Amino acid sequence: MFGVIDLPTYLVGLVLIVLLPGPNSLYVLSVAARRGIRAGYRGAAGVWCGDTVLMTLSAAGVASLLQANAVLFGIVKYAGAGYLTWLAIGMLRAAWGMWRSRHDGAAGDQAGAEAGDGERPFRRAFIISLFNPKAILFFVAFFVQFVDPGYAYPALSFVVLGAFAQLASFLYLSALIFGGTKLAAAFRRRKRLSAGATSAAGALFLGFAVKLSLASS
């Protein structure tokens, strides 16, 4: 179909890949829990746009360029790791503020609202998704296995594969967003739980940053 080889195998692999935890899904879950469904979908839209850019770059051969050029790969890699570290520090600072104000519910809610006012979920999620050279390399390594090299319109094959990837991402992130809003009610009632969850998210982002900085082309 449209130059796609072994579509069932691709779909099975895609589901497993989408379900793997990563900074994109964690950020969408976090922003939905803190700011609600609308903000969660703004973050998800940033992920989808970032993934679309990565798929396009992969189809255009940029992944091969990154793989062949160690200096360029390193620049993208460390820029991405630095951004994830900056986000992690922000989350840990927010968690510390929640912990200090845990006995003052109104003050804690106001501090959380003020912290959220300056956040742009779409932009943050887009950058998190975009600054991941390993994702570019993965897209091209995974996609090309299911594209018929003899098909006259390989770009159409990439579009079909990308459409399935975005559909799977939409369903998964939607589940995370609605699950995150359920968590929000518990977070508002229990400040220690909210501070602990935010601290855990910050620690995970630091882990993602370290993992990315140690990645090799």
Side-chain angles (χ1 to χ4, degrees), residues 100-132:
R100 293 184 62 184
S101 62
R102 65 189 183 279
H103 299 303
D104 187 352
D109 292 339
Q110 182 178 0
E114 290 175 355
D117 286 342
E119 185 177 9
R120 295 179 174 86
F122 177 88
R123 187 179 69 178
R124 284 197 177 187
F126 179 77
I127 297 175
I128 290 171
S129 178
L130 194 59
F131 273 100
N132 192 346

Side-chain angles (χ1 to χ4, degrees), residues 24-164:
N24 293 347
S25 56
L26 178 61
Y27 178 73
V28 171
L29 176 62
S30 172
V31 76
R34 290 182 286 109
R35 301 187 59 188
I37 292 176
R38 185 175 297 180
Y41 270 109
R42 286 201 295 269
V47 172
W48 299 326
C49 289
D51 286 348
T52 299
V53 172
L54 293 182
M55 293 175 196
T56 303
L57 293 175
S58 296
V62 174
S64 299
L65 176 63
L66 280 178
Q67 193 170 20
N69 191 320
V71 174
L72 181 60
F73 181 86
I75 291 172
V76 177
K77 177 178 69 173
Y78 289 116
Y83 187 73
L84 290 178
T85 301
W86 180 73
L87 288 180
I89 292 172
M91 289 180 177
L92 293 174
R93 289 180 61 189
W96 176 245
M98 293 175 190
W99 180 259
R100 293 184 62 184
S101 62
R102 65 189 183 279
H103 299 303
D104 187 352
D109 292 339
Q110 182 178 0
E114 290 175 355
D117 286 342
E119 185 177 9
R120 295 179 174 86
F122 177 88
R123 187 179 69 178
R124 284 197 177 187
F126 179 77
I127 297 175
I128 290 171
S129 178
L130 194 59
F131 273 100
N132 192 346
K134 295 299 289 185
I136 301 176
L137 300 178
F138 170 79
F139 274 128
V140 76
F142 187 63
F143 278 16
V144 296
Q145 298 179 45
F146 301 94
V147 175
D148 183 359
Y151 187 64
Y153 307 102
L156 181 58
S157 303
F158 277 93
V159 169
V160 172
L161 294 173
F164 279 114

